[in-house]
Amino acid sequence: MIYLDSAATSLRKPVSVERAVLQAMRGMASPGRGGHEAALRAAETVYACREEAAALFHVSDPSRIVFTLNATHALNIALRSLVRPGMRVLISGYEHNAVTRPLHALGAEILVAGRRLFSPDTLLDEWESALGQAELAVCTQVSNVFGYILPIDRIAALCREKGVKLVVDASQAAGILPVEMDALGAAFIAMPGHKGLLGPQGTGLLLCGEEGEPLLYGGSGAESRLQTMPGDLPEHLEAGTQNVCGIAGLLAGLRYVRGQGTAHIFAHEQKLLSAARSQLGQSGAELFCGPEGTQSGVLSLRYPGLDCEELAARLAERGVCVRAGLHCAPLAHESAGTLDTGTLRLSFSPFLSEGELREGLGILLGAAES
């Protein structure tokens, strides 16, 4: 199997991640639910994961790292904490349904600016103009469809200048690009654990610049007499038993990422991206590529007259894993002009070799001709 779908889930993990999950299953109970060794071991692991995330993402206080089920869960907490019906919320033209669906459900008035693909300067001009009308801003750091790297540092600076709170969706950036809470000054930053952070599915993080409002209510292992959620983070936003096994695996993933360094991981993906562009350049495919520095290790493409879903099915039969369609981001496809066809998306990981990529692309070329 040749796995080219890491933007959906990192299938290949460090061995340390698998080992950590298994050790947690065998020896950890629930933090805050007892003073025995198994509960204390779980509490130590959970806190160590907060510390590791705080160090990687430049969060001054580990208690402001909240565990979630995924980025969607994290974004729902953030948006339900800030959005009121009728609020004018500015977003980019490349947001995921994890942003747009909660905004619609909350009755927000959605303003969209920055639809031109791989054009950060145009986006900044449009955002600077639109921020005067906005009460909140939400922006992805990297498009999950096209790998378009949005200029999040400059967007955050504009938001601070205009006094508009910012929520960042770092789903495709965390573990690959710098994500710095203290520099961005965002209200919240959301991310999954199972993509670039190389943790298990069912894990996510919400970095909290603000206190936030609980999405769920229930046991927290602290202040049990209260019939409201505890007032302090992280317990204020973490109801119920935590995914200790997943958090143990996420801790190992975070340690791997910090050990390798995001610059090293990004450089590897850039090398793979360049190789893919070169090998597919004369194939008749329409490649969605940006100038150097504006695209992560994600490449969308389509062949004229060939259905993307059909091509993905052919590849699956030949052992190549990709994703096709709208990728839960119809707004991004609308912005790029691919809403009617979708795209075939290739996405890379630190564990994909150039040899595997060349083999997979050769199979892709053959499948497109058959």
Side-chain angles (χ1 to χ4, degrees):
M1 180 177 66
I2 299 174
Y3 192 74
L4 304 177
D5 195 21
S6 293
T9 290
S10 57
L11 182 64
R12 294 179 179 174
K13 320 279 189 186
V15 174
S16 58
V17 172
E18 301 174 26
R19 187 182 303 121
V21 172
L22 184 58
Q23 288 175 344
M25 291 179 69
R26 289 176 172 173
M28 295 184 197
S30 296
R33 272 73 169 180
H36 51 80
E37 184 180 352
L40 294 176
R41 191 181 300 120
E44 290 169 0
T45 298
V46 167
Y47 188 72
C49 192
R50 292 193 211 278
E51 287 188 309
E52 198 72 27
L56 179 60
F57 302 120
H58 296 256
V59 179
S60 58
D61 181 358
S63 71
R64 291 190 168 272
I65 304 291
V66 168
F67 292 113
T68 64
L69 298 173
N70 44 53
T72 298
H73 181 196
L75 285 163
N76 270 266
I77 294 173
L79 296 177
R80 288 180 180 274
S81 296
L82 298 173
V83 177
R84 301 293 176 265
M87 178 180 281
R88 296 186 301 278
V89 181
L90 176 63
I91 65 173
S92 81
Y94 291 87
E95 301 307 316
H96 191 277
N97 278 344
V99 167
T100 58
R101 283 179 172 173
L103 289 177
H104 279 287
L106 291 165
E109 180 184 341
I110 301 174
L111 314 174
V112 182
R115 285 181 173 266
R116 187 175 174 184
L117 186 58
F118 299 121
S119 184
D121 289 338
T122 301
L123 180 144
L124 288 166
D125 288 343
E126 293 183 10
W127 267 61
E128 186 170 17
S129 176
L131 274 170
Q133 309 168 53
E135 300 169 87
L136 177 68
V138 187
C139 191
T140 187
Q141 190 167 348
V142 179
S143 166
N144 72 304
V145 179
F146 301 103
Y148 174 23
I149 301 172
L150 282 70
I152 200 67
D153 292 347
R154 296 164 71 188
I155 288 168
L158 284 175
C159 289
R160 293 194 303 270
E161 179 184 320
K162 302 288 186 179
V164 177
K165 292 180 180 181
L166 173 66
V167 175
V168 177
D169 178 0
S171 293
Q172 299 294 331
I176 299 163
L177 291 168
V179 178
E180 300 185 357
M181 184 72 173
D182 55 2
L184 294 176
F188 296 99
I189 301 178
M191 62 190 68
H194 67 100
K195 297 181 191 281
L197 298 182
L198 305 174
Q201 292 99 319
T203 61
L205 298 172
L206 181 64
L207 317 184
C208 299
E210 300 202 358
E211 299 304 309
E213 294 298 328
L215 184 65
L216 299 174
Y217 293 78
S220 61
E223 301 185 57
S224 294
R225 286 180 178 267
L226 293 176
Q227 289 305 291
T228 58
M229 290 299 291
D232 295 330
L233 290 173
E235 292 85 1
H236 184 59
L237 300 179
E238 292 181 351
T241 299
Q242 292 165 316
N243 178 7
V244 173
C245 299
I247 291 170
L250 178 56
L251 171 58
L254 287 165
R255 285 174 172 165
Y256 180 89
V257 169
R258 286 193 72 204
Q260 294 291 311
T262 55
H264 174 76
I265 292 170
F266 181 71
H268 176 70
E269 293 196 5
Q270 289 296 290
K271 194 173 183 180
L272 295 173
L273 176 65
S274 178
R277 290 172 63 164
S278 176
Q279 191 168 345
L280 295 173
Q282 305 300 318
S283 69
E286 179 184 7
L287 304 180
F288 293 87
C289 301
E292 185 176 352
T294 63
Q295 189 171 8
S296 69
V298 174
L299 178 61
S300 265
L301 59 98
R302 60 182 177 180
Y303 281 90
L306 181 56
D307 182 77
C308 293
E309 299 276 7
E310 170 61 26
L311 181 54
R314 293 180 193 175
L315 289 171
E317 291 172 356
R318 293 164 170 81
V320 179
C321 305
V322 299
R323 186 173 177 190
L326 298 182
H327 313 93
C328 299
L331 179 62
H333 284 280
E334 182 181 291
S335 295
T338 56
L339 184 62
D340 291 339
T341 62
T343 59
L344 186 83
R345 185 187 69 185
L346 316 177
S347 52
F348 314 133
S349 87
F351 299 100
L352 178 69
S353 70
E354 289 186 75
E356 285 179 299
L357 177 61
R358 284 194 297 271
E359 182 182 354
L361 294 177
I363 295 171
L364 167 59
L365 293 172
E369 293 174 358
S370 62

